[in-house]
Amino acid sequence: MKIAIIGSGYVGLVTGACFAEVGHEVICVDNDERKIKALRNGKIPIYEPGLEQLVLRNVSAHRLQFTGSIEQGVDNSEVIFIAVPTPPQTDGSVDLTYIERVAREIASVLKEYRVIVDKSTVPVKTGEKVADTIRRYNKVNVDFDVVSNPEFLREGCAVPDLMQPDRIVIGSNSERALAIMKKVYEPFMAPIMVTDINSAELIKHAANSFLALKISYINALSAICEASGADIEKVADGIGADKRIGRSFLNAGLGYGGSCFPKDIAAFIAISEQIGEPFHLLREVQRINEHQRERFLKRLRDTLWVLKEKRIAVWGLTFKPDTDDVRNSVAIDLVNDLIREGAHVTAYDPKGNQRVQELDLCPGIHLANSALEAVQGAESLILATEWPDFGDVDLTEVRSRMHTPIVFDGRNLFDPATMRDLGFQYYGIGRPLTKAIG
Ligand code: UDX
């Protein structure tokens, strides 16, 4: 099938590449000329495992191309996906400027029937507004359908998430559009759930809010574990073994970050308030998430006393492993908290160093070239992002390089007993303190 994707950012590019991989002919559109030029030259603007090979393979097979022209995309495709950003506004509500602009642009070049699919995360009822806009701005009264098809891909595993999805949600009020959408997704052989447009839009915000709720639940429990001497990892295993609960997204840590959860939870709160049904529970989810970082800082102060002038090593800057994305990263917020208190922070991230430097996200930070370099002379080490690489570092070498072997593990990557045996004073999240023997 011939498909256009408008917006070649994270979602648009991965979706376009995966559609091409299953045999569709895909045109990715973007109004950023530099990005289009780079993509045409085989340069992928983001780090995502497997994406580069996928893009290069499908470009050489002539199934994937890039353009700056919406008209070219609309003229040559049966289905047009909208995958443009929906950033938050200061009050948490969603800025729909890009969606509205793209709807007008599609309308101005629409000459025959097309299915227009909203893939961006949008408030419930946006599909209706997109359809109204296209109707209003299309001068030749063309027939079209608007469909909602939310994405559920996680950064770091976006390609497998898209190639083997748990489910595909298609919100459509038209049989004609539905038949076309089923053809788009047929090659993925995944369960397709058909709903009305409003329900599909709501599913996305409801799913992300529920996952954030699970994280805040386990983080609130981690505080209770610390106060009572229980171990959050054992508690999470114990409750997660119940199939009704499930173990995933019950990893206690510094809290959730990234470009989706903080934005989507704030947006869902704003939407619920706008429609007169305020979702108070989600405010508590947000509060616990903020509090988790403050609790961690308090533990640092309780242990190290004054943070001013302390040499602190931080491992991990991205919002999660296997990505170079540093947007809304808890690790970055933490580093800035430490710098504000006068600590000397030396950090290392396998993929995030460059972004932090380019965007000057942590003024005053020292960036190291390796995990071992970061801990040289450090008075404590914080693990802020659980890159698997950190699990492979020689901890005996780490201990010998550190000035004082105190480790604060913000993601429970290390085993407390091993750390104790290696001579570290080790603090995990929601775990009893383990002090080195002797
Ligand atoms: C999320 C959703 O999972 C995805 O379905 C949606 O479409 C986009 O938003 P993403 O933001 O890429 O994906 O990452 P995710 O793996 O969900 O992690 C989000 C944050 O939660 C990260 O900061 C991560 O460290 C944190 N997290 C996740 C935890 O603290 N504990 C967990 O158990 C899981």
Side-chain angles (χ1 to χ4, degrees):
M1 290 188 81
K2 295 186 171 195
I3 296 173
I5 316 250
I6 300 176
S8 301
Y10 200 86
V11 172
L13 186 57
V14 178
T15 307
C18 290
F19 280 168
E21 180 71 7
V22 298
H24 297 313
E25 282 173 52
V26 181
I27 305 177
C28 284
V29 185
D30 205 286
N31 61 4
D32 181 343
E33 289 294 337
R34 280 209 337 243
K35 190 187 277 180
I36 292 296
K37 205 170 154 211
L39 284 165
R40 281 183 177 154
N41 289 327
K43 294 208 168 52
I44 315 299
I46 50 170
Y47 170 72
E48 180 64 33
L51 181 63
E52 187 171 6
Q53 300 90 303
L54 209 62
V55 169
L56 299 180
R57 184 164 61 238
N58 285 286
V59 167
S60 6
H62 305 290
R63 285 192 300 261
L64 182 61
Q65 51 173 307
F66 303 98
T67 176
S69 158
I70 284 198
E71 186 161 18
Q72 189 190 336
V74 173
D75 281 354
N76 294 293
S77 313
E78 286 170 78
V79 190
I80 325 292
F81 282 81
I82 304 176
V84 294
T86 48
Q89 309 195 89
T90 39
D91 65 352
S93 64
V94 184
D95 177 358
L96 292 165
T97 317
Y98 300 112
I99 298 268
E100 195 265 353
R101 189 189 301 155
V102 167
R104 278 188 284 119
E105 286 173 359
I106 292 173
S108 68
V109 295
L110 195 63
K111 302 172 191 90
E112 54 186 313
Y113 178 81
R114 296 286 182 260
V115 178
I116 294 140
V117 189
D118 182 21
K119 212 163 211 352
S120 305
T121 303
V122 291
V124 59
K125 289 185 173 298
T126 299
E128 290 174 9
K129 296 203 176 73
V130 168
D132 287 347
T133 305
I134 297 177
R135 223 169 277 124
R136 204 172 322 130
Y137 283 87
N138 180 249
K139 298 275 183 249
V140 285
N141 224 1
V142 174
D143 193 14
F144 67 92
D145 280 306
V146 169
V147 165
S148 166
N149 171 222
E151 58 78 19
F152 300 102
L153 52 90
R154 289 163 300 169
E155 293 189 21
C157 39
V159 172
D161 274 0
L162 224 142
M163 296 302 288
Q164 296 111 33
D166 286 347
R167 82 304 204 184
I168 289 153
V169 174
I170 302 176
S172 169
N173 302 338
S174 141
E175 285 302 323
R176 183 179 182 188
L178 188 58
I180 294 174
M181 288 301 288
K182 283 187 172 166
K183 264 171 65 190
V184 171
Y185 280 108
E186 208 170 48
F188 293 90
M189 292 183 294
I192 292 182
M193 308 186 66
V194 178
T195 70
D196 56 282
I197 299 176
N198 289 347
S199 300
E201 289 169 338
L202 210 71
I203 284 169
K204 176 60 200 267
H205 273 123
N208 272 3
S209 300
F210 190 78
L211 292 169
L213 175 95
K214 272 187 105 173
I215 299 169
S216 279
Y217 183 86
I218 204 71
N219 283 338
L221 261 185
S222 75
I224 295 174
C225 285
E226 280 164 32
S228 61
D231 184 335
I232 193 66
E233 295 300 318
K234 298 199 172 95
V235 175
D237 289 344
I239 61 175
D242 185 328
K243 285 197 188 70
R244 293 170 301 173
I245 297 173
R247 179 63 176 84
S248 65
F249 278 71
L250 284 182
N251 295 320
L254 287 168
Y256 61 77
S259 65
C260 290
F261 282 178
K263 163 177 94 84
D264 289 351
I265 281 70
F268 206 23
I269 291 172
I271 293 161
S272 69
E273 285 169 0
Q274 271 161 20
I275 59 180
E277 288 297 335
F279 205 154
H280 300 299
L281 178 65
L282 295 185
R283 286 215 180 270
E284 189 58 14
V285 168
Q286 282 181 321
R287 195 199 61 78
I288 294 168
N289 200 51
E290 278 296 308
H291 186 57
Q292 193 70 353
R293 198 176 86 241
E294 287 160 22
R295 278 189 345 98
F296 191 75
L297 275 167
K298 181 174 179 306
R299 186 160 251 209
L300 249 80
R301 288 189 208 103
D302 289 350
T303 314
L304 305 174
W305 191 16
V306 174
L307 298 185
K308 196 173 159 102
E309 292 174 8
K310 288 267 156 40
R311 282 165 297 165
I312 299 180
V314 175
W315 282 358
L317 292 167
T318 51
F319 86 96
K320 61 183 264 187
D322 285 322
T323 176
D324 61 354
D325 197 342
V326 288
R327 287 174 291 173
N328 281 315
S329 167
V330 183
I332 303 267
D333 291 342
L334 185 68
V335 166
N336 285 327
D337 288 336
L338 295 170
I339 293 174
R340 256 192 304 277
E341 289 203 31
H344 301 303
V345 179
T346 303
Y348 169 72
D349 187 282
K351 294 278 178 216
N353 277 15
Q354 205 184 335
R355 287 273 160 104
V356 170
Q357 195 159 31
E358 278 165 10
L359 303 170
D360 196 19
L361 294 177
C362 305
I365 195 174
H366 302 277
L367 291 167
N369 292 315
S370 70
L372 282 177
E373 190 187 309
V375 297
Q376 192 65 46
E379 291 162 271
S380 74
L381 163 65
I382 295 174
L383 182 124
T385 311
E386 69 279 30
W387 282 90
D389 315 37
F390 297 139
D392 299 334
V393 180
D394 178 352
L395 292 171
T396 312
E397 178 67 18
V398 171
R399 193 192 178 296
S400 71
R401 286 185 181 223
M402 287 180 76
H403 181 271
T404 33
I406 306 174
V407 174
F408 298 91
D409 184 351
R411 298 287 174 185
N412 287 351
L413 181 73
F414 298 114
D415 172 48
T418 311
M419 296 304 275
R420 183 198 52 215
D421 294 348
L422 288 167
F424 289 100
Q425 185 171 331
Y426 173 82
Y427 298 86
I429 301 272
R431 289 167 139 184
L433 162 71
T434 41
K435 274 208 166 135
I437 304 162

